[in-house]
Amino acid sequence: MASARDTPNSNEVTENCDDTEIDGATVLCRALKEQGVEYMFGIVGVPVIEIAMAAQGEGIKFIHMRNEQAASYAASAIGYLTRRPAVCLTVSGPGVIHAFAGMANAQENCWPLIVVGGSCDQDQENMGGFQEYPQVEMARPFSKYSARPSSVEKIPFIVEKAVRQSIYGRPGASYIDLPGDMIVAKVPEKSVRSQQSCPSPPPVLSSPSSISKAVDLLVSAQKPLIIVGKGAAYAQAEWVVRDLVDSTGLPFLPTPMGKGVVPDSHPLCVAPARSRVLQEADVVLLLGARLNWMLHFGAPPRFNPNVKVIQVDICLEEIGNNVAPSVALPGDIPVVVQQILDELRKQPGQFRFPASSPWWTTLRAKISANQKSVENMAKDNGLPLNYYAAFAEVQKALPKDCLIVNEGSNTMDIGRTMLPNNLPRHRLDAGTFGTMGVGVGFALAAALWCRDYAPGKRVVCVQGDSAFGFSGMEIETIVRYKLPVVIIIFNNNGISFGLKSEVWEVLESGDRTLTVPPTALAPDTRYEKLIEAFGGAGYMARTIPELRESLGKAMADTTRSSIINIVIDPMAQRKTQEFFWLTKSNL
């Protein structure tokens, strides 16, 4: 039995609790958790091993990747899917530099992301410390916010600010730098002041007078068009945008990652007549899309020189970029579109653009002609397969609610038209920055999100062979975490086009550094064998029956990751374009 002197009194207990210490890694991860961070992707090493361990201790899921670029791409995809940032954790110096690729991609795509980089101990700075680099300064061009806490106690403040900067206004990347000695330093827990969780951005509305002008333009247009951008998908504006389309009968054109905000299968979707509708529209309602290279800068000959643009964007600096809008509607897409709907419903009689108009007659004829052209190419089952024949089989096999990741050159361009999306935020591709190598990282992040929030939903990653090579080793990561991703590789032996095996053999005796075209990769590479080495399922398909069988097996297997390696004619191309679609790029 304990004596009275063995039992601490209440004052001693309070004193001991007040003396409890906490290290910088735990302070960081606890602050991230308080701000709603669920996922951390990265590669551990000096000085950030303790951060990864602390993250798991605080209930943040840590995904150990094979390359910081892929880790930063994966974290940014979570930001797009959820509107809250995930974290990319990197070691100092080269690790942070590798993550700049994902930061730049997130900035250009306007997706929230936080990169946490370790750095050399503060008492070694300017002495040539291990992997010493001016990381805070170097991160600034790739982020909205870049900072280092002045002390362990200041970490929660910096974390909250980084989260707020990443999701408010135009979303983007934030960088937090933590010296190694700060990560392991211990301070009294009572000295650390927690920060309230950053709320979602408050809604921003446009002025009623501007809304009225926009409605007047739409109602009087002879050739109106709604362009649904990635910003509308990110803003989760699908219900109100669909209400606008359904109630007005206006044709709409989705940008690549705007697909699914209103289903591609909707009868008012004019994507198959993209060139014609952009060239002739007289009034364009621009919903979260930028008039940059992806929309040909809004300039002739791709656009009507007299087109009137109604521009809806959360970023004031984007208003008037390249084309001065007839009406500027700064604000959040869901609330601004609702304002437009409310104003339209005040009009005498219910406005609806007539389905019998000459504009619709023109568009339907162009849609029909383009669809027949694609159907004819898809019926060509000659060997080696062309893109359209292979895509037709892939399209038939995909679940209607699957999340599609698509990248490559011809593989992505053709996939944009051949792989429909009927749900928002169910397409991830090279995006505004045209970044190759995002595919496997995006697919991994999407599969994690589906596992946690949409069990049973499949993730399908459709890539060219070149695009797969950028981050192909992450298939080991996918298998390690038991994520049943289906990776489909369109293998044409190169970038845009490659060489047939018989031509390759002719080069056998020469110096290949002088004879092999810069676009060529080794022919007949067995990519499917790579995933088999890690425990996944591999399939190779040269014919339509082989492809059909492979797709059936891969889709039915919900326990393993898989690769389907489709052999494509190295000289196969997409259909002839009325205009060279992406200006000077074939991405």
Side-chain angles (χ1 to χ4, degrees):
M1 181 175 180
S3 65
R5 65 182 297 175
D6 295 326
T7 304
N9 61 41
S10 59
N11 290 334
E12 287 175 331
V13 171
T14 302
E15 185 178 345
N16 288 340
C17 288
D18 288 345
D19 288 342
T20 301
E21 291 188 320
I22 188 170
D23 60 38
T26 303
V27 171
L28 170 73
C29 294
R30 194 167 291 176
L32 290 170
K33 185 70 174 179
E34 288 173 346
Q35 296 302 325
V37 171
E38 293 186 71
Y39 303 96
M40 181 181 288
F41 303 81
I43 299 177
V44 297
V46 176
V48 299
I49 296 174
E50 291 84 0
I51 292 177
M53 296 174 68
Q56 291 180 317
E58 295 299 322
I60 297 173
K61 300 178 178 73
F62 182 79
I63 301 90
H64 175 205
M65 305 285 284
R66 303 299 294 261
N67 181 276
E68 290 91 354
Q69 282 193 23
S72 60
Y73 296 145
S76 68
I78 291 291
Y80 174 61
L81 294 171
T82 67
R83 301 187 72 191
R84 301 293 295 195
V87 169
C88 172
L89 177 68
T90 77
V91 299
S92 50
V96 173
I97 293 170
H98 291 167
F100 286 165
M103 291 175 67
N105 192 61
Q107 278 291 97
E108 294 300 313
N109 276 332
C110 308
W111 293 353
L113 167 68
I114 293 177
V115 173
V116 174
S119 57
C120 76
D121 290 359
Q122 294 171 94
D123 62 358
Q124 297 176 2
E125 289 179 340
N126 301 306
M127 298 174 63
F130 176 65
Q131 295 183 333
E132 182 180 356
Y133 199 69
Q135 295 167 189
V136 176
E137 291 81 4
M138 292 301 296
R140 287 201 172 102
F142 307 104
S143 60
K144 292 179 66 180
Y145 178 70
S146 179
R148 172 193 285 183
S150 57
S151 64
V152 171
E153 291 86 350
K154 203 72 173 177
I155 289 174
F157 173 84
I158 296 296
V159 168
E160 189 278 338
K161 191 164 187 177
V163 171
R164 182 157 38 88
Q165 290 281 340
S166 75
I167 63 176
Y168 277 39
R170 171 179 279 179
S174 292
Y175 175 71
I176 300 174
D177 193 75
L178 284 180
D181 52 348
M182 189 180 294
I183 291 171
V184 298
K186 292 185 177 181
V187 299
E189 190 167 2
K190 64 182 180 182
S191 69
V192 179
R193 180 180 173 186
S194 64
Q195 295 287 130
Q196 182 179 0
S197 178
C198 177
S200 297
V204 178
L205 286 75
S206 283
S207 71
S209 61
S210 296
I211 294 291
S212 179
K213 291 177 184 176
V215 167
D216 288 344
L217 267 183
L218 282 174
V219 170
S220 62
Q222 299 299 306
K223 296 181 177 181
L225 173 66
I226 299 173
I227 296 180
V228 181
K230 178 171 73 246
Y234 174 83
Q236 301 181 4
E238 51 266 22
W239 301 112
V240 69
V241 173
R242 176 147 191 184
D243 191 4
L244 177 67
V245 170
D246 286 340
S247 63
T248 62
L250 294 171
F252 75 93
L253 173 71
T255 64
M257 272 191 277
K259 284 161 60 71
V261 172
V262 183
D264 287 347
S265 58
H266 196 286
L268 301 180
C269 179
V270 293
R274 185 182 193 278
S275 292
R276 181 62 56 85
V277 75
L278 290 179
Q279 194 177 20
E280 296 189 17
D282 61 358
V283 173
V284 170
L285 175 60
L286 201 63
L287 299 179
R290 287 170 278 177
L291 292 176
N292 55 17
W293 68 281
M294 295 191 77
L295 283 172
H296 317 285
F297 313 106
R302 293 308 311 271
F303 278 75
N304 181 341
N306 299 313
V307 66
K308 294 179 173 60
V309 175
I310 303 166
Q311 188 173 8
V312 183
D313 204 286
I314 189 61
C315 179
L316 285 169
E317 290 82 354
E318 187 62 37
I319 302 292
N321 191 26
N322 294 324
V323 174
S326 297
V327 183
L329 298 178
D332 289 283
I333 293 170
V335 293
V336 173
V337 173
Q338 187 61 57
Q339 286 181 282
I340 292 172
L341 273 168
D342 292 343
E343 184 67 22
L344 279 167
R345 286 164 181 160
K346 293 178 184 176
Q347 303 289 311
Q350 178 66 45
F351 166 74
R352 186 170 182 81
F353 189 71
S356 58
S357 68
W359 182 223
W360 266 120
T361 301
T362 298
L363 295 180
R364 290 193 188 100
K366 188 62 177 176
I367 289 170
S368 178
N370 284 345
Q371 287 176 335
K372 286 177 182 177
S373 174
V374 170
E375 288 169 5
N376 289 335
M377 288 185 286
K379 291 175 182 177
D380 178 4
N381 292 339
L383 300 180
L385 294 171
N386 72 64
Y387 283 97
Y388 293 89
F391 263 114
E393 288 301 317
V394 171
Q395 188 271 329
K396 286 186 282 188
L398 296 187
K400 294 188 182 302
D401 67 340
C402 74
L403 202 153
I404 298 170
V405 180
N406 189 199
E407 66 166 337
S409 180
N410 289 325
T411 304
M412 183 173 66
D413 281 348
I414 298 169
R416 284 168 170 162
T417 60
M418 295 289 287
L419 299 178
N421 289 97
N422 290 314
L423 294 171
R425 296 170 298 284
H426 277 56
R427 179 183 173 87
L428 292 160
D429 67 21
T432 307
F433 211 29
T435 309
M436 291 294 115
V438 296
V440 185
F442 279 1
L444 186 150
L448 278 170
W449 181 84
C450 288
R451 183 198 67 182
D452 294 343
Y453 292 98
K457 188 183 291 289
R458 300 306 300 273
V459 174
V460 180
C461 181
V462 183
Q463 300 177 279
D465 49 342
S466 172
F468 171 75
F470 280 86
S471 56
M473 198 62 183
E474 298 298 344
I475 61 176
E476 186 274 331
T477 314
I478 286 175
V479 173
R480 185 176 358 119
Y481 289 103
K482 297 182 178 181
L483 301 171
V485 174
V486 178
I487 298 173
I488 300 173
I489 299 174
F490 279 67
N491 183 1
N492 73 338
N493 302 341
I495 303 172
S496 296
F497 57 89
L499 297 176
K500 293 185 178 181
S501 56
E502 55 266 31
V503 178
W504 185 267
E505 291 171 4
V506 174
L507 305 175
E508 194 74 40
S509 60
D511 182 347
R512 288 183 178 174
T513 63
L514 300 175
T515 60
V516 173
T519 62
L521 298 172
D524 302 325
T525 300
R526 300 296 299 271
Y527 294 107
E528 79 282 0
K529 296 296 183 183
L530 294 174
I531 204 163
E532 290 177 1
F534 302 122
Y539 308 93
M540 188 173 190
R542 296 181 181 274
T543 67
I544 291 299
E546 289 174 351
L547 177 55
R548 197 171 293 157
E549 180 182 6
S550 299
L551 287 164
K553 290 180 178 178
M555 293 301 171
D557 191 345
T558 59
T559 62
R560 290 189 299 172
S561 307
S562 59
I563 286 179
I564 302 173
N565 182 13
I566 308 175
V567 178
I568 299 295
D569 184 346
M571 302 308 294
Q573 297 290 311
R574 57 182 177 163
K575 78 179 183 69
T576 303
Q577 302 294 293
E578 190 170 337
F579 291 89
F580 197 30
W581 191 72
L582 297 181
T583 312
K584 296 181 180 180
S585 173
N586 202 30
L587 295 176

